[in-house]
Amino acid sequence: MVARHASPLQALLVNDKFDGDVYPNEPLARHTTYRIGGPARFYVQVGSIGALTRLVETCEEVDSPWMVLGRGSNILAADEGYPGVIITLGRDFRTSRFDEDTKRFSVGAGVSLSSVVQEAFHRSLAGLEFAVGTPGTIGGALRMNAGSRNEWLGSRVVSVTTFSRKEGLRRRLGGEIEWGYRSTSFLPQEILLECELSMTPADPFFIRGKMEASLARRKKTQPLNAPSCGSVFKNPEGHSAGALIEEVGLKGHKIGGAQISEVHANFIVNTGGALAADVRALMELAQKRVFEEKGIELKPEVRFLGFE
């Protein structure tokens, strides 16, 4: 039974027919790789496109902020939490199909990127070796065009299906999307639902070699044993953000429970009990020092959730 004074959003979320799991006041620290973040007003895992569209429409009708979250691998969530609805894609968005004739995967946005990388390897298909060991979902990887300046996910995209309240369901070809370094032309309120990825048949020993080399490089150069969000800043054109931060003497610098990694200075790690405020303070310090001493502006790669 719905309380007499329940808002349309509350009424939807307590409706037995709503295809989703609802968690009020859910700590975001449980859903980010940083292990940082206060409570979201509602954390909702939707199981179908119908539930997703109803939830987004209701949020916008009552002016409640909302955001889609994958595995939280590129997120810094505020200590105060998030005043709206965090949406995560469940059941119907976690399927993956392979077409043997076209050598294409059709992958839901809620599928982990690492599982697609492994599936491609088992089928002797090349093209995603650079992404081995990368955390996060396909949806998050697409939105930020995961990869480097030389290899990126967008180069393998045949099409992407999205949803927005304004345009409804929309399928766009990969060539219609702008793929940049750590950027795409997807709109903020455009929810990525599914994509088609094209692979190239190759010798499995060649694929394995590239994957092992990528993993070895990652283990050697990244602080994988401490919670982090991955790279904090985008690499400026012609420069390494980590090298710049190290050159201004901040490698290993700590504020509260956060530390600029001693392994790679473009990582800020949670050494235990770090607050979002600690991470933010280190980021601002690094930006200030690099600009003062190098004249270069560091731009965040991490996305901020719940900050003013």
Side-chain angles (χ1 to χ4, degrees):
M1 183 175 179
V2 180
R4 180 177 300 176
H5 301 294
S7 70
L9 176 59
Q10 292 169 323
L12 172 66
L13 296 179
V14 299
N15 191 322
D16 290 341
K17 295 182 179 179
F18 177 68
D19 187 11
D21 298 317
V22 182
Y23 304 90
N25 300 312
E26 176 71 3
L28 290 171
R30 297 177 180 172
H31 303 282
T32 64
T33 56
Y34 247 140
R35 302 294 180 258
I36 292 173
R41 182 186 177 201
F42 294 109
Y43 181 90
V44 184
Q45 179 174 289
V46 293
S48 63
I49 185 64
L52 174 64
T53 56
R54 287 182 65 197
L55 180 55
V56 171
E57 288 169 357
T58 304
C59 284
E60 296 192 355
E61 286 170 2
V62 301
D63 292 325
S64 172
W66 61 271
M67 179 178 173
V68 175
L69 184 68
R71 295 196 169 184
S73 59
N74 193 41
I75 295 290
L76 179 62
D79 300 310
E80 296 76 19
Y82 185 69
V85 179
I86 294 296
I87 303 171
T88 186
L89 303 178
R91 188 190 64 243
D92 288 0
F93 308 99
R94 297 184 179 182
T95 62
S96 179
R97 304 180 303 279
F98 179 71
D99 188 312
E100 191 68 50
D101 294 330
T102 61
K103 305 300 181 187
R104 292 178 182 177
F105 287 97
S106 294
V107 188
V111 174
S112 70
L113 176 58
S114 61
S115 69
V116 181
V117 173
Q118 291 300 323
E119 181 66 17
F121 167 62
H122 291 312
R123 293 181 180 274
S124 298
L125 297 171
L128 292 179
E129 299 78 40
F130 67 90
V132 64
T134 302
T137 60
I138 284 289
L142 284 171
R143 182 168 287 280
M144 67 172 291
N145 193 22
S148 65
R149 290 191 185 275
N150 300 317
E151 295 181 288
W152 60 92
L153 185 59
S155 66
R156 290 291 164 183
V157 171
V158 177
S159 70
V160 179
T161 301
T162 66
F163 168 79
S164 67
R165 192 181 181 200
K166 181 178 180 181
E167 297 188 341
L169 288 172
R170 182 183 180 191
R171 180 178 180 270
R172 281 191 281 170
L173 298 179
E176 299 172 341
I177 302 163
E178 295 178 16
W179 305 98
Y181 170 63
R182 296 289 196 271
S183 68
T184 61
S185 57
F186 295 116
L187 299 176
Q189 299 299 86
E190 193 172 12
I191 304 173
L192 282 61
L193 304 179
E194 185 179 69
C195 73
E196 290 179 279
L197 300 173
S198 178
M199 303 293 156
T200 306
D203 186 315
F205 293 101
F206 167 79
I207 299 172
R208 180 188 289 275
K210 287 192 68 176
M211 290 174 65
E212 290 178 346
S214 181
L215 273 177
R217 183 169 58 252
R218 190 182 296 271
K219 290 177 180 179
K220 182 178 180 180
T221 62
Q222 298 181 9
L224 302 181
N225 294 325
S228 79
C229 69
S231 298
V232 174
F233 299 106
K234 299 177 183 179
N235 287 321
E237 187 69 41
H239 297 275
S240 160
L244 291 169
I245 296 169
E246 184 172 356
E247 288 168 11
V248 300
L250 289 178
K251 193 172 188 180
H253 191 81
K254 292 186 69 175
I255 294 180
Q259 181 182 33
I260 294 178
S261 171
E262 295 178 331
V263 178
H264 193 309
N266 197 24
F267 283 69
I268 296 177
V269 297
N270 180 356
T271 63
L275 300 175
D278 299 334
V279 176
R280 192 75 180 267
L282 277 178
M283 290 181 65
E284 292 172 353
L285 176 62
Q287 288 174 305
K288 180 175 182 289
R289 291 275 286 273
V290 169
F291 187 75
E292 287 177 346
E293 298 185 27
K294 303 290 185 177
I296 297 173
E297 181 182 1
L298 292 179
K299 296 182 178 180
E301 180 176 318
V302 60
R303 297 171 66 196
F304 299 103
L305 176 59
F307 290 87
E308 293 292 336

